[in-house]
Amino acid sequence: DVKVTQSSRYLVKRTGEKVFLECVQDMDHENMFWYRQDPGLGLRLIYFSYDVKMKEKGDIPEGYSVSREKKERFSLILESASTNQTSMYLCASRHRVLGTEAFFGQGTRLTVV
Amino acid sequence: GENVEQHPSTLSVQEGDSAVIKCTYSDSASNYFPWYKQELGKRPQLIIDIRSNVGEKKDQRIAVTLNKTAKHFSLHITETQPEDSAVYFCAPLRRQGGSEKLVFGKGTKLTVNP
């Protein structure tokens, strides 16, 4: 069974704090993704990575950064959390081979107060 | 960047009816076209996909059709059941050098009324 695990299910942080969201997958997937999900806006791509230490911006990278030091782990960093970053964050991973499924983590509900 | 649009945003059908959701994309380099289903409180899961060299694929009550010329693909669900109620997302994928970008549509909320 493929497992994509996010470090926290619920998180409450204060404005201005530095926040780390961790994602770990156990299937040796090359590609990993971070999305945020908001009502009516679907899943919006923040950053993705196709290999260790490689990263590319998605559609809404502002206010976020990422780190991929090991193949199995992809971290999303909110440098200085703001209330408009309150959202559900979903991590996903997939093999690079065309036509393979993306597997999602359970999501992290982040509230910034 | 990739522009992905889904229609309709909400769809309500009676049990047993058919449902069709359409996804339009802008990037002609897209070459893989999956549909994901997200039930309330759960993570998205792949339900069906199609590659660019195929026009149609069917799996029991669900099917996907692709029109590459017009740059759209559609999800078809026949004989709908209450458990089909969920949000459905299309996610055309584009390979770009060593990277792949998986961009999702905004989703279609399907409600199947018993």
Side-chain angles (χ1 to χ4, degrees):
Chain A
D1 238 12
V2 173
K3 252 197 187 154
V4 181
T5 305
Q6 294 180 228
S7 53
S8 304
R9 192 67 198 263
Y10 299 95
L11 213 50
V12 180
K13 296 290 181 182
R14 294 193 181 279
T15 301
E17 274 192 83
K18 190 168 186 176
V19 182
F20 293 85
L21 302 183
E22 307 284 345
C23 176
V24 177
Q25 50 94 4
D26 65 357
M27 286 303 291
D28 204 35
H29 288 169
E30 296 87 1
N31 295 348
M32 296 188 75
F33 307 83
W34 273 107
Y35 298 89
R36 63 176 283 177
Q37 185 170 24
D38 301 287
L41 297 178
L43 293 157
R44 291 184 291 167
L45 182 62
I46 305 171
Y47 267 97
F48 63 106
S49 168
Y50 57 94
D51 206 343
V52 176
K53 297 192 188 295
M54 307 304 287
K55 61 185 178 185
E56 290 214 22
K57 293 180 181 179
D59 298 323
I60 52 163
E62 297 79 19
Y64 304 95
S65 62
V66 290
S67 172
R68 188 144 181 223
E69 296 298 316
K70 293 185 177 182
K71 192 174 185 180
E72 67 269 19
R73 186 180 297 268
F74 192 35
S75 302
L76 179 69
I77 304 153
L78 285 66
E79 298 292 340
S80 177
S82 64
T83 54
N84 63 13
Q85 292 178 309
T86 291
S87 186
M88 172 66 83
Y89 290 87
L90 285 163
C91 171
S93 73
R94 66 185 292 273
H95 272 303
R96 187 178 295 158
V97 173
L98 183 66
T100 58
E101 178 177 358
F103 293 90
F104 283 82
Q106 77 277 26
T108 297
R109 170 71 66 185
L110 172 68
T111 303
V112 182
V113 298
Chain B
E2 177 76 275
N3 189 29
V4 179
E5 292 190 5
Q6 269 183 249
H7 294 282
S9 56
T10 60
L11 181 58
S12 183
V13 300
Q14 287 301 122
E15 185 175 358
D17 286 352
S18 293
V20 181
I21 303 169
K22 184 176 178 180
C23 181
T24 304
Y25 59 96
S26 60
D27 193 337
S28 56
S30 296
N31 53 11
Y32 171 63
F33 308 92
W35 284 96
Y36 285 77
K37 175 184 180 182
Q38 186 178 29
E39 296 177 19
L40 191 63
K42 296 192 175 178
R43 65 193 82 184
Q45 289 192 295
L46 179 75
I47 54 169
I48 195 165
D49 57 10
I50 195 169
R51 297 192 189 193
S52 58
N53 58 349
V54 177
E56 183 175 355
K57 183 177 176 182
K58 195 172 180 182
D59 183 4
Q60 299 183 341
R61 295 188 298 107
I62 60 172
V64 54
T65 58
L66 172 65
N67 184 329
K68 275 217 85 177
T69 306
K71 288 189 271 186
H72 66 73
F73 61 112
S74 297
L75 175 69
H76 305 255
I77 306 174
T78 58
E79 300 170 31
T80 53
Q81 300 168 5
E83 52 264 38
D84 294 329
S85 296
V87 179
Y88 292 83
F89 295 97
C90 63
L93 182 141
R94 182 189 177 204
R95 177 161 283 178
Q96 188 174 14
S99 66
E100 295 168 326
K101 199 173 177 182
L102 194 62
V103 176
F104 285 77
K106 291 184 179 179
T108 297
K109 184 177 181 181
L110 172 65
T111 303
V112 180
N113 301 301

